[in-house]
Amino acid sequence: MTLTELKHLYATQELVEAVVEPSIGDGYIVEFRHRRGGLVPLTDGAGSERCYSDIDSATQQAFEVGFHQVRIADEY
């Protein structure tokens, strides 16, 4: 989901947690736990998962959605 779509889900209290984890390639991805279960990844407009070069950049995206706390996962 795009940043705008995720902001809407956060505003309607559908997202309960933000998680930054290592990407399969190089970098980090941001995912959000939905209140009904499952993870929703941050994607671009084409639906591709966004990948960030460092934890700080990825964490900033979770803050943009509205979260004040982000869990950092250190393993796949």
Side-chain angles (χ1 to χ4, degrees):
M1 295 193 126
T2 65
L3 189 60
T4 301
E5 292 167 325
L6 289 164
K7 285 180 180 181
H8 175 72
L9 287 180
Y10 180 82
T12 57
Q13 300 180 344
E14 295 290 317
L15 301 177
V16 297
E17 181 183 35
V19 182
V20 170
E21 59 184 44
S23 168
I24 291 173
D26 231 6
Y28 297 88
I29 59 170
V30 187
E31 295 182 314
F32 300 88
R33 187 164 311 281
H34 196 278
R35 71 178 179 88
R36 294 185 197 143
L39 292 171
V40 180
L42 173 59
T43 64
D44 60 20
S48 297
E49 218 167 44
R50 299 282 315 262
C51 188
Y52 298 90
S53 61
D54 58 71
I55 290 175
D56 291 337
S57 298
T59 300
Q60 184 59 42
Q61 295 305 303
F63 293 157
E64 287 289 322
V65 169
F67 283 90
H68 300 286
Q69 183 175 340
V70 178
R71 183 167 63 88
I72 308 296
D74 57 1
E75 295 186 24
Y76 297 101

CSV table of all heavy atoms in Angstrom, one decimal, residues 20-43:
chain,number,residue,atom,x,y,z
A,20,VAL,N,10.2,-2.3,10.9
A,20,VAL,CA,11.2,-2.2,9.9
A,20,VAL,C,12.1,-3.4,9.9
A,20,VAL,O,12.5,-3.9,11.0
A,20,VAL,CB,12.1,-0.9,10.2
A,20,VAL,CG1,13.4,-0.9,9.3
A,20,VAL,CG2,11.3,0.3,10.0
A,21,GLU,N,12.3,-4.1,8.8
A,21,GLU,CA,13.1,-5.3,8.7
A,21,GLU,C,14.0,-5.3,7.5
A,21,GLU,O,13.7,-4.6,6.5
A,21,GLU,CB,12.2,-6.5,8.8
A,21,GLU,CG,11.2,-6.6,7.6
A,21,GLU,CD,10.3,-7.8,7.8
A,21,GLU,OE1,9.8,-8.1,8.9
A,21,GLU,OE2,10.1,-8.5,6.8
A,22,PRO,N,15.1,-6.1,7.6
A,22,PRO,CA,16.0,-6.2,6.5
A,22,PRO,C,15.3,-6.7,5.2
A,22,PRO,O,14.4,-7.6,5.3
A,22,PRO,CB,17.0,-7.2,6.9
A,22,PRO,CG,16.9,-7.2,8.4
A,22,PRO,CD,15.5,-7.0,8.7
A,23,SER,N,15.6,-6.2,4.1
A,23,SER,CA,15.1,-6.6,2.8
A,23,SER,C,15.8,-7.9,2.4
A,23,SER,O,17.0,-8.1,2.9
A,23,SER,CB,15.3,-5.5,1.8
A,23,SER,OG,15.1,-6.0,0.5
A,24,ILE,N,15.2,-8.7,1.5
A,24,ILE,CA,15.9,-9.9,1.0
A,24,ILE,C,17.2,-9.5,0.3
A,24,ILE,O,18.2,-10.1,0.4
A,24,ILE,CB,15.0,-10.7,0.1
A,24,ILE,CG1,13.9,-11.3,1.0
A,24,ILE,CG2,15.7,-11.8,-0.7
A,24,ILE,CD1,12.8,-12.0,0.2
A,25,GLY,N,17.1,-8.3,-0.4
A,25,GLY,CA,18.3,-7.8,-1.1
A,25,GLY,C,19.1,-6.9,-0.1
A,25,GLY,O,19.2,-7.3,1.1
A,26,ASP,N,19.5,-5.8,-0.5
A,26,ASP,CA,20.2,-4.8,0.4
A,26,ASP,C,19.2,-3.8,0.9
A,26,ASP,O,18.4,-3.3,0.1
A,26,ASP,CB,21.3,-4.1,-0.4
A,26,ASP,CG,22.6,-4.2,0.3
A,26,ASP,OD1,22.7,-4.9,1.3
A,26,ASP,OD2,23.5,-3.6,-0.2
A,27,GLY,N,19.2,-3.4,2.1
A,27,GLY,CA,18.4,-2.4,2.6
A,27,GLY,C,17.3,-2.8,3.6
A,27,GLY,O,17.4,-3.9,4.1
A,28,TYR,N,16.3,-2.0,3.7
A,28,TYR,CA,15.2,-2.2,4.7
A,28,TYR,C,13.9,-1.9,4.1
A,28,TYR,O,13.7,-1.0,3.3
A,28,TYR,CB,15.5,-1.4,6.0
A,28,TYR,CG,16.7,-1.7,6.6
A,28,TYR,CD1,17.9,-1.1,6.3
A,28,TYR,CD2,16.8,-2.7,7.6
A,28,TYR,CE1,19.1,-1.4,6.9
A,28,TYR,CE2,18.0,-3.0,8.3
A,28,TYR,CZ,19.1,-2.4,7.9
A,28,TYR,OH,20.3,-2.7,8.5
A,29,ILE,N,12.9,-2.7,4.6
A,29,ILE,CA,11.5,-2.5,4.2
A,29,ILE,C,10.7,-2.1,5.4
A,29,ILE,O,11.1,-2.3,6.5
A,29,ILE,CB,10.9,-3.7,3.5
A,29,ILE,CG1,10.9,-4.9,4.4
A,29,ILE,CG2,11.6,-4.0,2.1
A,29,ILE,CD1,10.1,-6.1,3.9
A,30,VAL,N,9.5,-1.5,5.1
A,30,VAL,CA,8.6,-1.1,6.2
A,30,VAL,C,7.3,-1.9,6.0
A,30,VAL,O,6.7,-1.9,4.9
A,30,VAL,CB,8.3,0.4,6.2
A,30,VAL,CG1,7.5,0.8,7.4
A,30,VAL,CG2,9.6,1.2,6.1
A,31,GLU,N,6.8,-2.5,7.1
A,31,GLU,CA,5.6,-3.2,7.0
A,31,GLU,C,4.7,-2.8,8.2
A,31,GLU,O,5.3,-2.4,9.3
A,31,GLU,CB,5.8,-4.7,7.1
A,31,GLU,CG,6.5,-5.3,5.9
A,31,GLU,CD,6.6,-6.8,5.9
A,31,GLU,OE1,7.0,-7.3,6.9
A,31,GLU,OE2,6.4,-7.4,4.8
A,32,PHE,N,3.4,-2.9,8.1
A,32,PHE,CA,2.5,-2.5,9.2
A,32,PHE,C,1.6,-3.7,9.5
A,32,PHE,O,1.0,-4.3,8.6
A,32,PHE,CB,1.7,-1.3,8.7
A,32,PHE,CG,2.6,-0.1,8.4
A,32,PHE,CD1,3.1,0.0,7.1
A,32,PHE,CD2,2.9,0.8,9.4
A,32,PHE,CE1,3.9,1.1,6.8
A,32,PHE,CE2,3.7,1.8,9.1
A,32,PHE,CZ,4.3,2.0,7.8
A,33,ARG,N,1.4,-4.0,10.8
A,33,ARG,CA,0.6,-5.1,11.2
A,33,ARG,C,-0.9,-4.5,11.2
A,33,ARG,O,-1.2,-3.5,11.8
A,33,ARG,CB,0.9,-5.6,12.6
A,33,ARG,CG,0.1,-6.8,13.0
A,33,ARG,CD,0.8,-7.6,14.1
A,33,ARG,NE,2.2,-7.9,14.0
A,33,ARG,CZ,2.7,-8.8,13.2
A,33,ARG,NH1,2.0,-9.6,12.5
A,33,ARG,NH2,4.0,-9.0,13.2
A,34,HIS,N,-1.8,-5.2,10.5
A,34,HIS,CA,-3.2,-4.9,10.4
A,34,HIS,C,-3.9,-5.4,11.7
A,34,HIS,O,-3.5,-6.5,12.2
A,34,HIS,CB,-3.8,-5.5,9.2
A,34,HIS,CG,-5.1,-4.9,8.8
A,34,HIS,ND1,-6.3,-5.3,9.4
A,34,HIS,CD2,-5.4,-4.0,7.9
A,34,HIS,CE1,-7.3,-4.6,8.9
A,34,HIS,NE2,-6.8,-3.8,8.0
A,35,ARG,N,-4.9,-4.7,12.1
A,35,ARG,CA,-5.5,-5.2,13.4
A,35,ARG,C,-6.2,-6.5,13.2
A,35,ARG,O,-6.4,-7.2,14.2
A,35,ARG,CB,-6.5,-4.1,13.9
A,35,ARG,CG,-7.8,-4.0,13.0
A,35,ARG,CD,-8.7,-3.0,13.7
A,35,ARG,NE,-9.9,-2.8,12.9
A,35,ARG,CZ,-11.0,-3.5,13.0
A,35,ARG,NH1,-11.1,-4.5,13.9
A,35,ARG,NH2,-12.0,-3.3,12.2
A,36,ARG,N,-6.5,-7.0,12.0
A,36,ARG,CA,-7.1,-8.3,11.8
A,36,ARG,C,-6.0,-9.3,11.6
A,36,ARG,O,-6.4,-10.5,11.3
A,36,ARG,CB,-8.0,-8.2,10.6
A,36,ARG,CG,-9.2,-7.4,10.8
A,36,ARG,CD,-10.2,-7.5,9.7
A,36,ARG,NE,-11.1,-6.4,9.7
A,36,ARG,CZ,-11.6,-5.7,8.6
A,36,ARG,NH1,-11.2,-6.1,7.4
A,36,ARG,NH2,-12.4,-4.7,8.8
A,37,GLY,N,-4.8,-9.0,11.7
A,37,GLY,CA,-3.7,-9.9,11.4
A,37,GLY,C,-3.0,-9.7,10.1
A,37,GLY,O,-3.6,-9.1,9.2
A,38,GLY,N,-1.9,-10.2,9.9
A,38,GLY,CA,-1.1,-10.0,8.7
A,38,GLY,C,-0.4,-8.7,8.6
A,38,GLY,O,-0.6,-7.8,9.3
A,39,LEU,N,0.6,-8.7,7.7
A,39,LEU,CA,1.4,-7.5,7.5
A,39,LEU,C,1.1,-6.8,6.2
A,39,LEU,O,0.9,-7.5,5.1
A,39,LEU,CB,2.9,-7.9,7.5
A,39,LEU,CG,3.4,-8.3,8.9
A,39,LEU,CD1,4.8,-8.9,8.8
A,39,LEU,CD2,3.4,-7.2,9.9
A,40,VAL,N,1.1,-5.5,6.2
A,40,VAL,CA,0.8,-4.7,5.0
A,40,VAL,C,2.1,-4.0,4.6
A,40,VAL,O,2.5,-3.1,5.4
A,40,VAL,CB,-0.3,-3.7,5.2
A,40,VAL,CG1,-0.6,-2.9,4.0
A,40,VAL,CG2,-1.6,-4.5,5.7
A,41,PRO,N,2.7,-4.2,3.5
A,41,PRO,CA,4.0,-3.5,3.2
A,41,PRO,C,3.8,-2.2,2.6
A,41,PRO,O,2.7,-1.9,2.0
A,41,PRO,CB,4.6,-4.5,2.1
A,41,PRO,CG,3.5,-5.1,1.5
A,41,PRO,CD,2.4,-5.3,2.5
A,42,LEU,N,4.7,-1.3,2.8
A,42,LEU,CA,4.7,0.0,2.1
A,42,LEU,C,5.2,-0.2,0.7
A,42,LEU,O,6.3,-0.8,0.5
A,42,LEU,CB,5.7,1.0,2.9
A,42,LEU,CG,5.9,2.3,2.2
A,42,LEU,CD1,4.6,3.1,2.1
A,42,LEU,CD2,6.9,3.2,3.1
A,43,THR,N,4.4,0.3,-0.2
A,43,THR,CA,4.8,0.1,-1.7
A,43,THR,C,4.7,1.4,-2.4
A,43,THR,O,4.2,2.4,-1.9
A,43,THR,CB,3.8,-0.9,-2.4
A,43,THR,OG1,2.5,-0.3,-2.3
A,43,THR,CG2,3.8,-2.3,-1.7
